[in-house]
């Protein structure tokens, strides 16, 4: 954890001496820090690498267009399975917060609101499923349904 903070701090001290507008941009947001680290893993100076890098989308929090998408877990990438249990870990948002990212509280508030809305939607869907199941069960018990089911059974359905 300390090593990551030291590496990030040394990165923030680097600058373009003659004209700072030309380079060594130090992004504070976790999404941009992650994007920069992925760029280092890609051959972004080739056409193939540049296309791959441009397809990468990074966000702080969950954007509106992905709120309805189902989340999934990749078991082979879980840190509890891959890393040594004594390894110290830090979240990228916490690390960036130490170096000037000021929107952590905003993103956390939006994430809380998204989770509450998702929970309310889940409860509504469960209620509808229960009502539908009740309706099917009550319809199956009715005599009208039984007569129709017997007639269909005579014809092989």
């Amino acid at each position: 954890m300390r090593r990551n903070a030291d590496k990030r701090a040394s990165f923030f001290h680097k600058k373009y001496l003659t004209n700072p507008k030309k380079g060594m941009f130090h992004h504070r947001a976790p999404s941009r820090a992650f994007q920069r680290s992925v760029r280092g893993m890609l051959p972004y100076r080739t056409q193939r690498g540049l296309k791959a890098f441009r397809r990468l989308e990074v966000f702080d929090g969950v954007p509106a267009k992905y709120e309805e998408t189902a989340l999934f877990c990749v078991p082979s990438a879980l840190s509890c399975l891959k890393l040594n249990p004594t390894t110290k870990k830090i979240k990228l948002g916490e690390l960036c917060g130490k170096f000037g990212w000021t929107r952590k509280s905003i993103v956390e508030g939006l994430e809380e609101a998204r989770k509450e809305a998702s929970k309310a939607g889940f409860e509504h869907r469960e209620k509808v499923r229960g009502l539908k199941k009740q309706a099917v069960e009550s319809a199956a018990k009715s005599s009208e349904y039984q007569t129709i089911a017997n007639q269909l059974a005579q014809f092989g359905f």
Side-chain angles (χ1 to χ4, degrees):
M1 186 167 84
R2 181 75 191 146
R3 183 169 167 246
N4 288 330
D6 290 343
K7 284 170 69 175
R8 191 97 176 127
S10 69
F11 173 70
F12 273 94
H13 287 295
K14 293 179 181 177
K15 59 186 173 183
Y16 196 95
L17 291 175
T18 57
N19 188 356
K21 289 188 274 185
K22 286 188 176 181
M24 286 312 292
F25 302 110
H26 309 298
H27 300 290
R28 265 79 173 158
S31 59
R32 297 303 300 264
F34 180 73
Q35 186 178 32
R36 175 79 183 251
S37 64
V38 170
R39 190 187 82 169
M41 299 175 202
L42 292 174
Y44 70 95
R45 290 183 179 157
T46 65
Q47 193 170 8
R48 179 178 65 101
L50 187 62
K51 285 181 180 178
F53 183 65
R54 287 193 176 149
R55 284 193 302 266
L56 176 68
E57 290 182 299
V58 291
F59 306 99
D60 292 323
V62 180
K65 69 179 185 178
Y66 294 120
E67 280 184 356
E68 299 300 320
T69 306
L71 300 176
F72 63 93
C73 177
V74 181
S76 62
L78 289 174
S79 64
C80 62
L81 298 176
K82 290 292 179 183
L83 296 178
N84 188 346
T86 60
T87 303
K88 293 181 180 177
K89 302 170 206 61
I90 187 168
K91 292 183 179 179
L92 187 58
E94 293 174 16
L95 185 64
C96 289
K98 291 181 180 180
F99 292 101
W101 183 51
T102 58
R103 293 179 173 84
K104 183 177 181 180
S105 60
I106 296 170
V107 171
E108 285 176 349
L110 291 171
E111 184 67 13
E112 288 293 323
R114 184 193 69 80
K115 285 181 180 178
E116 288 175 15
S118 176
K119 185 177 179 182
F122 176 76
E123 289 171 355
H124 176 70
R125 286 191 299 275
E126 286 297 310
K127 183 179 176 184
V128 168
R129 278 191 199 119
L131 292 172
K132 187 175 181 180
K133 187 177 178 182
Q134 260 183 347
V136 168
E137 288 173 356
S138 65
K141 293 177 183 176
S142 70
S143 60
E144 187 178 327
Y145 174 81
Q146 295 297 331
T147 57
I148 293 171
N150 290 337
Q151 288 174 354
L152 288 174
Q154 289 173 354
F155 294 114
F157 292 103

Coordinates of all heavy atoms in Angstrom, one line a residue, residues 65-150:
K65 N -26.2 4.5 -18.7 CA -26.5 3.5 -19.7 C -26.2 2.1 -19.3 O -26.6 1.2 -19.9 CB -25.8 3.9 -21.0 CG -24.3 3.8 -21.0 CD -23.7 4.2 -22.3 CE -22.2 4.0 -22.4 NZ -21.7 4.3 -23.7
Y66 N -25.4 1.9 -18.2 CA -25.1 0.6 -17.7 C -25.7 0.2 -16.4 O -25.5 -0.8 -15.8 CB -23.6 0.4 -17.6 CG -22.8 0.5 -18.9 CD1 -21.9 1.5 -19.1 CD2 -23.1 -0.4 -19.9 CE1 -21.2 1.6 -20.3 CE2 -22.4 -0.3 -21.1 CZ -21.4 0.7 -21.3 OH -20.8 0.7 -22.5
E67 N -26.7 1.1 -15.9 CA -27.3 0.8 -14.7 C -28.2 -0.4 -14.7 O -28.3 -1.2 -13.7 CB -28.2 2.0 -14.2 CG -27.4 3.1 -13.6 CD -28.2 4.2 -13.1 OE1 -29.4 4.2 -13.3 OE2 -27.6 5.2 -12.5
E68 N -28.8 -0.7 -15.8 CA -29.7 -1.8 -16.0 C -29.0 -3.1 -16.3 O -29.6 -4.2 -16.3 CB -30.8 -1.6 -17.0 CG -31.7 -0.4 -16.7 CD -32.4 -0.5 -15.4 OE1 -32.9 -1.6 -15.1 OE2 -32.5 0.5 -14.6
T69 N -27.7 -3.0 -16.7 CA -26.9 -4.2 -17.1 C -26.7 -5.1 -15.8 O -26.3 -4.5 -14.8 CB -25.6 -3.8 -17.7 OG1 -25.9 -2.9 -18.8 CG2 -24.9 -5.0 -18.3
A70 N -26.8 -6.4 -16.0 CA -26.5 -7.3 -14.9 C -25.0 -7.3 -14.6 O -24.2 -7.4 -15.5 CB -27.0 -8.7 -15.2
L71 N -24.7 -7.2 -13.3 CA -23.3 -7.3 -12.9 C -22.9 -8.8 -12.8 O -23.7 -9.6 -12.4 CB -23.1 -6.6 -11.6 CG -23.4 -5.1 -11.5 CD1 -23.3 -4.6 -10.1 CD2 -22.6 -4.3 -12.4
F72 N -21.6 -9.1 -13.0 CA -21.2 -10.4 -12.9 C -19.8 -10.4 -12.3 O -19.1 -9.5 -12.3 CB -21.2 -11.2 -14.2 CG -20.3 -10.7 -15.3 CD1 -19.0 -11.2 -15.4 CD2 -20.7 -9.7 -16.1 CE1 -18.2 -10.7 -16.4 CE2 -19.9 -9.2 -17.1 CZ -18.6 -9.7 -17.2
C73 N -19.4 -11.6 -11.7 CA -18.2 -11.7 -11.0 C -17.3 -12.7 -11.8 O -17.8 -13.7 -12.3 CB -18.4 -12.2 -9.6 SG -16.9 -12.5 -8.7
V74 N -16.0 -12.4 -12.0 CA -15.1 -13.3 -12.6 C -14.3 -14.0 -11.5 O -13.4 -13.4 -10.9 CB -14.1 -12.5 -13.5 CG1 -13.2 -13.5 -14.2 CG2 -14.9 -11.7 -14.6
P75 N -14.7 -15.3 -11.2 CA -14.0 -16.0 -10.1 C -12.5 -16.1 -10.2 O -11.8 -16.1 -9.2 CB -14.7 -17.3 -10.1 CG -15.9 -17.2 -10.8 CD -15.7 -16.1 -11.8
S76 N -12.0 -16.2 -11.4 CA -10.6 -16.4 -11.6 C -9.8 -15.2 -11.4 O -8.6 -15.2 -11.3 CB -10.3 -16.9 -13.0 OG -10.7 -16.0 -14.0
A77 N -10.5 -14.0 -11.2 CA -9.8 -12.7 -11.0 C -10.0 -12.2 -9.5 O -9.6 -11.1 -9.2 CB -10.3 -11.7 -11.9
L78 N -10.6 -13.0 -8.7 CA -10.8 -12.6 -7.3 C -9.5 -12.4 -6.5 O -8.7 -13.4 -6.6 CB -11.8 -13.5 -6.6 CG -13.2 -13.5 -7.0 CD1 -14.0 -14.6 -6.3 CD2 -13.8 -12.2 -6.7
S79 N -9.3 -11.3 -5.9 CA -8.1 -11.1 -5.1 C -7.9 -12.1 -4.0 O -6.8 -12.5 -3.6 CB -8.0 -9.7 -4.6 OG -9.0 -9.4 -3.7
C80 N -9.1 -12.5 -3.4 CA -9.0 -13.5 -2.3 C -8.4 -14.8 -2.7 O -7.9 -15.6 -2.0 CB -10.3 -13.6 -1.6 SG -11.6 -14.3 -2.6
L81 N -8.6 -15.1 -4.0 CA -8.1 -16.4 -4.6 C -6.7 -16.3 -5.2 O -5.9 -17.2 -5.2 CB -9.0 -16.9 -5.6 CG -10.4 -17.3 -5.2 CD1 -11.3 -17.7 -6.3 CD2 -10.4 -18.4 -4.1
K82 N -6.4 -15.1 -5.7 CA -5.1 -14.9 -6.5 C -4.0 -14.4 -5.6 O -2.8 -14.7 -5.9 CB -5.4 -14.0 -7.7 CG -6.2 -14.6 -8.7 CD -5.4 -15.7 -9.4 CE -6.2 -16.4 -10.5 NZ -5.5 -17.5 -11.0
L83 N -4.3 -13.5 -4.6 CA -3.2 -12.9 -3.9 C -3.0 -13.6 -2.6 O -3.9 -14.2 -2.0 CB -3.6 -11.4 -3.6 CG -3.7 -10.5 -4.8 CD1 -4.2 -9.1 -4.4 CD2 -2.5 -10.4 -5.6
N84 N -1.8 -13.4 -2.0 CA -1.4 -13.9 -0.7 C -2.3 -13.2 0.3 O -2.5 -12.0 0.2 CB 0.0 -13.6 -0.5 CG 0.6 -14.2 0.7 OD1 -0.2 -14.7 1.6 ND2 1.9 -14.2 0.8
P85 N -2.8 -13.9 1.3 CA -3.7 -13.3 2.3 C -3.1 -12.1 3.1 O -3.7 -11.3 3.6 CB -4.1 -14.4 3.2 CG -3.7 -15.6 2.5 CD -2.7 -15.3 1.5
T86 N -1.7 -12.2 3.2 CA -1.0 -11.1 4.0 C -0.7 -9.9 3.2 O -0.2 -8.9 3.7 CB 0.3 -11.7 4.6 OG1 1.1 -12.1 3.5 CG2 0.0 -12.8 5.5
T87 N -1.0 -9.9 1.8 CA -0.7 -8.8 1.0 C -1.6 -7.6 1.3 O -2.9 -7.8 1.4 CB -0.9 -9.2 -0.5 OG1 -0.1 -10.3 -0.8 CG2 -0.6 -8.0 -1.4
K88 N -1.0 -6.4 1.5 CA -1.8 -5.3 1.8 C -2.4 -4.8 0.5 O -1.8 -4.7 -0.6 CB -1.0 -4.2 2.4 CG -0.5 -4.6 3.8 CD 0.3 -3.5 4.4 CE 0.8 -3.8 5.8 NZ 1.7 -2.8 6.3
K89 N -3.7 -4.3 0.5 CA -4.4 -3.9 -0.7 C -4.9 -2.5 -0.4 O -5.2 -2.1 0.7 CB -5.6 -4.8 -1.0 CG -5.2 -6.3 -1.2 CD -6.4 -7.1 -1.3 CE -6.2 -8.5 -0.9 NZ -5.8 -8.8 0.4
I90 N -5.1 -1.7 -1.5 CA -5.7 -0.4 -1.4 C -6.6 -0.2 -2.7 O -6.2 -0.7 -3.8 CB -4.7 0.7 -1.3 CG1 -5.3 2.0 -1.1 CG2 -3.8 0.7 -2.5 CD1 -4.4 3.1 -0.7
K91 N -7.7 0.4 -2.6 CA -8.6 0.7 -3.7 C -8.0 1.9 -4.5 O -7.4 2.8 -3.9 CB -10.0 0.9 -3.2 CG -10.7 -0.3 -2.7 CD -12.1 0.0 -2.3 CE -12.8 -1.3 -1.8 NZ -14.1 -1.0 -1.4
L92 N -8.2 1.9 -5.8 CA -7.7 2.9 -6.6 C -8.3 4.3 -6.2 O -7.6 5.3 -6.2 CB -7.9 2.6 -8.1 CG -7.3 3.5 -9.1 CD1 -5.8 3.6 -8.9 CD2 -7.6 3.1 -10.5
G93 N -9.6 4.3 -5.8 CA -10.2 5.5 -5.4 C -9.6 6.1 -4.2 O -9.5 7.3 -4.1
E94 N -9.2 5.3 -3.2 CA -8.6 5.7 -2.0 C -7.2 6.3 -2.3 O -6.8 7.4 -1.8 CB -8.4 4.6 -1.0 CG -9.7 4.1 -0.4 CD -9.6 2.9 0.5 OE1 -8.4 2.6 0.9 OE2 -10.6 2.2 0.7
L95 N -6.5 5.6 -3.2 CA -5.1 6.1 -3.6 C -5.2 7.4 -4.3 O -4.5 8.4 -4.0 CB -4.5 5.1 -4.5 CG -3.0 5.3 -4.8 CD1 -2.1 5.3 -3.6 CD2 -2.5 4.3 -5.8
C96 N -6.2 7.6 -5.2 CA -6.3 8.8 -5.9 C -6.8 9.9 -5.0 O -6.5 11.1 -5.2 CB -7.3 8.6 -7.1 SG -6.6 7.7 -8.4
G97 N -7.6 9.6 -4.0 CA -8.1 10.6 -3.1 C -6.9 11.2 -2.3 O -7.0 12.4 -1.9
K98 N -5.9 10.4 -2.1 CA -4.7 11.0 -1.4 C -3.9 12.0 -2.2 O -3.2 12.8 -1.7 CB -3.7 9.9 -1.0 CG -4.3 9.0 0.1 CD -3.3 7.9 0.5 CE -3.9 7.0 1.6 NZ -2.9 6.0 2.0
F99 N -4.1 11.9 -3.5 CA -3.4 12.8 -4.5 C -4.2 13.8 -5.2 O -3.9 14.2 -6.3 CB -2.6 11.9 -5.5 CG -1.5 11.1 -4.8 CD1 -1.7 9.8 -4.5 CD2 -0.3 11.7 -4.4 CE1 -0.7 9.1 -3.9 CE2 0.7 11.0 -3.8 CZ 0.5 9.7 -3.5
G100 N -5.4 14.2 -4.6 CA -6.1 15.3 -5.2 C -7.4 15.0 -5.8 O -8.0 15.9 -6.3
W101 N -7.9 13.8 -5.8 CA -9.2 13.5 -6.4 C -10.3 13.9 -5.4 O -10.3 13.4 -4.3 CB -9.4 12.0 -6.8 CG -10.7 11.7 -7.5 CD1 -11.2 12.3 -8.5 CD2 -11.6 10.7 -7.1 NE1 -12.4 11.7 -8.9 CE2 -12.6 10.7 -8.0 CE3 -11.6 9.7 -6.1 CZ2 -13.7 9.8 -8.0 CZ3 -12.6 8.8 -6.1 CH2 -13.7 8.9 -7.0
T102 N -11.1 14.9 -5.8 CA -12.1 15.5 -4.8 C -13.5 15.0 -5.0 O -14.4 15.5 -4.3 CB -12.0 17.0 -5.0 OG1 -12.3 17.4 -6.3 CG2 -10.6 17.6 -4.6
R103 N -13.8 14.2 -6.0 CA -15.2 13.8 -6.2 C -15.6 12.5 -5.7 O -16.6 11.9 -6.1 CB -15.4 13.9 -7.7 CG -15.3 15.3 -8.3 CD -15.5 15.4 -9.8 NE -15.6 16.7 -10.2 CZ -14.5 17.5 -10.5 NH1 -13.3 17.0 -10.3 NH2 -14.7 18.7 -10.9
K104 N -14.9 12.0 -4.7 CA -15.2 10.7 -4.2 C -16.5 10.7 -3.5 O -17.3 9.7 -3.6 CB -14.1 10.3 -3.1 CG -14.3 8.9 -2.5 CD -13.1 8.6 -1.6 CE -13.4 7.2 -1.0 NZ -12.3 6.8 -0.1
S105 N -16.8 11.7 -2.7 CA -18.1 11.8 -2.0 C -19.3 11.8 -3.0 O -20.3 11.2 -2.8 CB -18.2 13.0 -1.1 OG -18.0 14.2 -1.8
I106 N -19.1 12.5 -4.1 CA -20.2 12.6 -5.1 C -20.4 11.2 -5.7 O -21.6 10.8 -5.9 CB -19.8 13.6 -6.2 CG1 -19.7 15.0 -5.6 CG2 -20.8 13.6 -7.4 CD1 -19.1 16.1 -6.6
V107 N -19.3 10.6 -6.1 CA -19.5 9.2 -6.7 C -20.1 8.2 -5.7 O -21.0 7.4 -6.1 CB -18.1 8.7 -7.2 CG1 -18.2 7.3 -7.7 CG2 -17.6 9.6 -8.4
E108 N -19.7 8.3 -4.5 CA -20.3 7.4 -3.5 C -21.8 7.7 -3.3 O -22.6 6.8 -3.1 CB -19.5 7.6 -2.1 CG -18.2 6.9 -2.1 CD -17.4 7.2 -0.8 OE1 -17.9 8.0 0.0 OE2 -16.4 6.5 -0.7
G109 N -22.2 9.0 -3.3 CA -23.6 9.3 -3.2 C -24.4 8.8 -4.3 O -25.5 8.3 -4.2
L110 N -23.9 8.9 -5.5 CA -24.5 8.4 -6.7 C -24.6 6.9 -6.7 O -25.7 6.3 -7.1 CB -23.8 8.9 -8.0 CG -23.9 10.4 -8.3 CD1 -23.0 10.7 -9.5 CD2 -25.3 10.8 -8.7
E111 N -23.6 6.3 -6.2 CA -23.6 4.8 -6.1 C -24.6 4.3 -5.1 O -25.3 3.3 -5.3 CB -22.2 4.3 -5.7 CG -22.0 2.8 -5.7 CD -22.2 2.1 -7.1 OE1 -22.1 2.8 -8.1 OE2 -22.3 0.9 -7.1
E112 N -24.8 5.0 -4.0 CA -25.8 4.7 -3.0 C -27.2 4.8 -3.6 O -28.0 3.9 -3.4 CB -25.6 5.6 -1.7 CG -24.4 5.3 -0.9 CD -24.5 3.9 -0.2 OE1 -25.6 3.5 0.2 OE2 -23.5 3.3 -0.1
A113 N -27.4 5.9 -4.3 CA -28.7 6.1 -4.9 C -29.0 5.0 -6.0 O -30.1 4.5 -6.1 CB -28.8 7.5 -5.6
R114 N -28.0 4.6 -6.7 CA -28.2 3.6 -7.7 C -28.5 2.2 -7.1 O -29.4 1.5 -7.5 CB -26.9 3.4 -8.6 CG -27.0 2.4 -9.7 CD -25.7 2.1 -10.3 NE -24.8 1.3 -9.4 CZ -24.9 0.0 -9.1 NH1 -25.9 -0.7 -9.7 NH2 -24.1 -0.6 -8.3
K115 N -27.8 1.9 -6.0 CA -28.1 0.7 -5.2 C -29.5 0.7 -4.7 O -30.2 -0.4 -4.7 CB -27.1 0.5 -4.1 CG -25.7 0.0 -4.7 CD -24.7 -0.2 -3.6 CE -23.4 -0.6 -4.1 NZ -22.4 -0.8 -3.0
E116 N -29.9 1.8 -4.1 CA -31.3 1.9 -3.6 C -32.3 1.7 -4.7 O -33.3 1.0 -4.5 CB -31.5 3.2 -2.9 CG -30.8 3.3 -1.5 CD -30.9 4.7 -0.9 OE1 -31.8 5.5 -1.3 OE2 -30.1 5.0 0.0
A117 N -32.1 2.3 -5.8 CA -33.1 2.2 -6.9 C -33.1 0.8 -7.5 O -34.1 0.2 -7.8 CB -32.7 3.2 -8.1
S118 N -31.9 0.2 -7.5 CA -31.8 -1.2 -8.0 C -32.5 -2.2 -7.0 O -33.2 -3.1 -7.4 CB -30.3 -1.6 -8.1 OG -30.2 -3.0 -8.4
K119 N -32.4 -1.9 -5.7 CA -33.0 -2.7 -4.7 C -34.5 -2.6 -4.8 O -35.3 -3.6 -4.7 CB -32.6 -2.3 -3.3 CG -33.1 -3.2 -2.2 CD -32.5 -2.8 -0.9 CE -33.1 -3.6 0.2 NZ -32.6 -3.2 1.6
A120 N -35.0 -1.4 -5.0 CA -36.5 -1.1 -5.1 C -37.0 -1.8 -6.4 O -38.1 -2.5 -6.4 CB -36.8 0.4 -5.2
G121 N -36.3 -1.8 -7.5 CA -36.7 -2.5 -8.7 C -36.7 -4.0 -8.5 O -37.6 -4.7 -9.0
F122 N -35.7 -4.5 -7.8 CA -35.7 -6.0 -7.5 C -36.9 -6.4 -6.7 O -37.5 -7.4 -7.0 CB -34.4 -6.3 -6.8 CG -34.3 -7.8 -6.4 CD1 -34.0 -8.7 -7.4 CD2 -34.5 -8.1 -5.1 CE1 -33.9 -10.1 -7.0 CE2 -34.4 -9.5 -4.7 CZ -34.1 -10.4 -5.7
E123 N -37.2 -5.6 -5.7 CA -38.3 -5.9 -4.8 C -39.6 -5.9 -5.6 O -40.5 -6.7 -5.4 CB -38.4 -5.0 -3.6 CG -37.3 -5.2 -2.6 CD -37.2 -4.1 -1.6 OE1 -38.0 -3.1 -1.7 OE2 -36.4 -4.3 -0.6
H124 N -39.8 -4.9 -6.5 CA -41.0 -4.8 -7.4 C -41.1 -6.0 -8.3 O -42.1 -6.6 -8.4 CB -40.9 -3.5 -8.2 CG -42.0 -3.4 -9.1 ND1 -43.3 -3.2 -8.7 CD2 -42.1 -3.5 -10.5 CE1 -44.1 -3.1 -9.8 NE2 -43.4 -3.3 -10.9
R125 N -39.9 -6.4 -8.9 CA -40.0 -7.6 -9.8 C -40.3 -8.9 -9.0 O -41.1 -9.7 -9.5 CB -38.6 -7.8 -10.5 CG -38.4 -6.8 -11.6 CD -37.2 -7.1 -12.4 NE -35.9 -7.1 -11.6 CZ -35.2 -6.1 -11.4 NH1 -35.5 -4.9 -11.8 NH2 -34.1 -6.2 -10.7
E126 N -39.8 -9.0 -7.8 CA -40.1 -10.2 -7.0 C -41.6 -10.2 -6.6 O -42.3 -11.2 -6.6 CB -39.3 -10.2 -5.7 CG -37.9 -10.6 -5.9 CD -37.7 -12.0 -6.4 OE1 -38.3 -12.9 -5.9 OE2 -37.0 -12.2 -7.5
K127 N -42.2 -9.0 -6.3 CA -43.6 -8.9 -6.0 C -44.4 -9.3 -7.2 O -45.4 -10.1 -7.1 CB -43.9 -7.5 -5.6 CG -45.4 -7.3 -5.1 CD -45.6 -5.8 -4.7 CE -47.0 -5.6 -4.4 NZ -47.3 -4.2 -4.0
V128 N -44.1 -8.9 -8.4 CA -44.8 -9.2 -9.6 C -44.7 -10.7 -9.9 O -45.7 -11.3 -10.3 CB -44.3 -8.4 -10.8 CG1 -44.8 -8.9 -12.1 CG2 -44.6 -6.9 -10.6
R129 N -43.5 -11.3 -9.7 CA -43.3 -12.7 -9.9 C -44.2 -13.5 -8.9 O -44.8 -14.5 -9.3 CB -41.9 -13.1 -9.6 CG -41.0 -12.9 -10.8 CD -39.6 -13.6 -10.6 NE -38.7 -13.0 -11.5 CZ -37.6 -12.3 -11.1 NH1 -37.2 -12.2 -9.9 NH2 -36.8 -11.8 -12.0
G130 N -44.3 -13.1 -7.7 CA -45.2 -13.8 -6.7 C -46.6 -13.7 -7.1 O -47.3 -14.7 -7.0
L131 N -47.1 -12.5 -7.5 CA -48.5 -12.4 -7.9 C -48.8 -13.2 -9.2 O -49.8 -13.8 -9.3 CB -48.8 -10.9 -8.2 CG -48.8 -9.9 -7.0 CD1 -48.9 -8.5 -7.5 CD2 -49.9 -10.3 -6.1
K132 N -47.8 -13.3 -10.1 CA -48.0 -14.1 -11.3 C -48.1 -15.6 -10.9 O -49.0 -16.3 -11.4 CB -46.9 -13.9 -12.3 CG -47.0 -14.5 -13.6 CD -45.9 -14.1 -14.5 CE -46.1 -14.8 -15.9 NZ -45.0 -14.4 -16.8
K133 N -47.2 -16.0 -10.0 CA -47.3 -17.4 -9.6 C -48.6 -17.7 -8.9 O -49.2 -18.8 -9.1 CB -46.1 -17.6 -8.6 CG -45.9 -19.1 -8.2 CD -44.7 -19.2 -7.3 CE -44.6 -20.7 -6.9 NZ -43.4 -20.9 -6.0
Q134 N -49.1 -16.8 -8.0 CA -50.4 -17.0 -7.4 C -51.5 -17.1 -8.4 O -52.4 -17.9 -8.3 CB -50.7 -15.8 -6.5 CG -50.4 -16.0 -5.0 CD -50.8 -14.8 -4.2 OE1 -51.1 -13.7 -4.8 NE2 -50.8 -14.9 -2.9
A135 N -51.5 -16.2 -9.4 CA -52.5 -16.2 -10.4 C -52.5 -17.5 -11.2 O -53.6 -18.1 -11.5 CB -52.3 -15.1 -11.4
V136 N -51.3 -18.1 -11.5 CA -51.2 -19.3 -12.3 C -51.8 -20.5 -11.4 O -52.5 -21.3 -11.9 CB -49.8 -19.6 -12.7 CG1 -49.6 -21.0 -13.2 CG2 -49.4 -18.6 -13.8
E137 N -51.4 -20.5 -10.1 CA -51.9 -21.5 -9.2 C -53.4 -21.5 -9.0 O -54.0 -22.5 -9.0 CB -51.2 -21.4 -7.9 CG -49.7 -21.8 -7.9 CD -49.0 -21.5 -6.6 OE1 -49.6 -21.0 -5.7 OE2 -47.8 -21.9 -6.5
S138 N -53.9 -20.3 -8.9 CA -55.4 -20.2 -8.7 C -56.1 -20.5 -10.0 O -57.2 -21.1 -9.9 CB -55.8 -18.8 -8.2 OG -55.5 -17.8 -9.2
A139 N -55.5 -20.2 -11.1 CA -56.2 -20.6 -12.4 C -56.1 -22.1 -12.6 O -57.0 -22.7 -13.2 CB -55.5 -19.8 -13.6
A140 N -55.0 -22.7 -12.2 CA -54.9 -24.2 -12.4 C -55.9 -24.9 -11.5 O -56.3 -26.0 -11.9 CB -53.5 -24.6 -12.0
K141 N -56.4 -24.3 -10.4 CA -57.3 -25.0 -9.6 C -58.8 -24.8 -10.0 O -59.7 -25.5 -9.6 CB -57.2 -24.4 -8.1 CG -55.9 -24.8 -7.5 CD -55.8 -24.2 -6.1 CE -54.5 -24.5 -5.4 NZ -54.3 -23.8 -4.2
S142 N -59.0 -23.8 -10.9 CA -60.4 -23.6 -11.4 C -60.9 -24.7 -12.2 O -60.2 -25.4 -12.9 CB -60.5 -22.2 -12.1 OG -59.8 -22.4 -13.4
S143 N -62.2 -24.9 -12.2 CA -62.8 -26.0 -13.0 C -62.8 -25.7 -14.5 O -62.7 -26.6 -15.3 CB -64.3 -26.2 -12.5 OG -65.0 -25.0 -12.7
E144 N -62.9 -24.4 -14.8 CA -62.8 -24.1 -16.2 C -61.5 -24.5 -16.9 O -61.4 -25.0 -18.0 CB -63.0 -22.6 -16.4 CG -63.2 -22.1 -17.8 CD -63.4 -20.5 -17.8 OE1 -64.0 -20.0 -16.9 OE2 -62.9 -19.9 -18.8
Y145 N -60.4 -24.2 -16.1 CA -59.1 -24.6 -16.6 C -59.0 -26.1 -16.7 O -58.4 -26.7 -17.7 CB -58.0 -24.1 -15.6 CG -56.6 -24.6 -15.9 CD1 -55.9 -24.0 -16.9 CD2 -56.0 -25.6 -15.2 CE1 -54.6 -24.4 -17.2 CE2 -54.7 -26.1 -15.5 CZ -54.0 -25.5 -16.5 OH -52.8 -25.9 -16.8
Q146 N -59.5 -26.9 -15.8 CA -59.5 -28.3 -15.8 C -60.2 -28.9 -17.0 O -59.7 -29.8 -17.6 CB -60.1 -28.9 -14.5 CG -59.3 -28.6 -13.2 CD -57.9 -29.2 -13.2 OE1 -57.7 -30.2 -13.8 NE2 -57.0 -28.5 -12.6
T147 N -61.3 -28.3 -17.3 CA -62.1 -28.8 -18.5 C -61.3 -28.6 -19.8 O -61.2 -29.4 -20.7 CB -63.5 -28.2 -18.6 OG1 -63.3 -26.8 -18.7 CG2 -64.4 -28.6 -17.4
I148 N -60.7 -27.4 -19.9 CA -59.9 -27.1 -21.1 C -58.7 -28.0 -21.2 O -58.3 -28.5 -22.2 CB -59.5 -25.6 -21.1 CG1 -60.7 -24.7 -21.3 CG2 -58.5 -25.3 -22.2 CD1 -60.5 -23.2 -21.1
A149 N -58.0 -28.2 -20.0 CA -56.8 -29.1 -20.0 C -57.2 -30.5 -20.4 O -56.4 -31.2 -21.1 CB -56.2 -29.1 -18.6
N150 N -58.4 -31.0 -20.0 CA -58.8 -32.4 -20.4 C -59.1 -32.5 -21.8 O -58.7 -33.4 -22.5 CB -60.0 -32.8 -19.5 CG -59.7 -33.0 -18.1 OD1 -58.6 -33.3 -17.7 ND2 -60.7 -32.8 -17.2

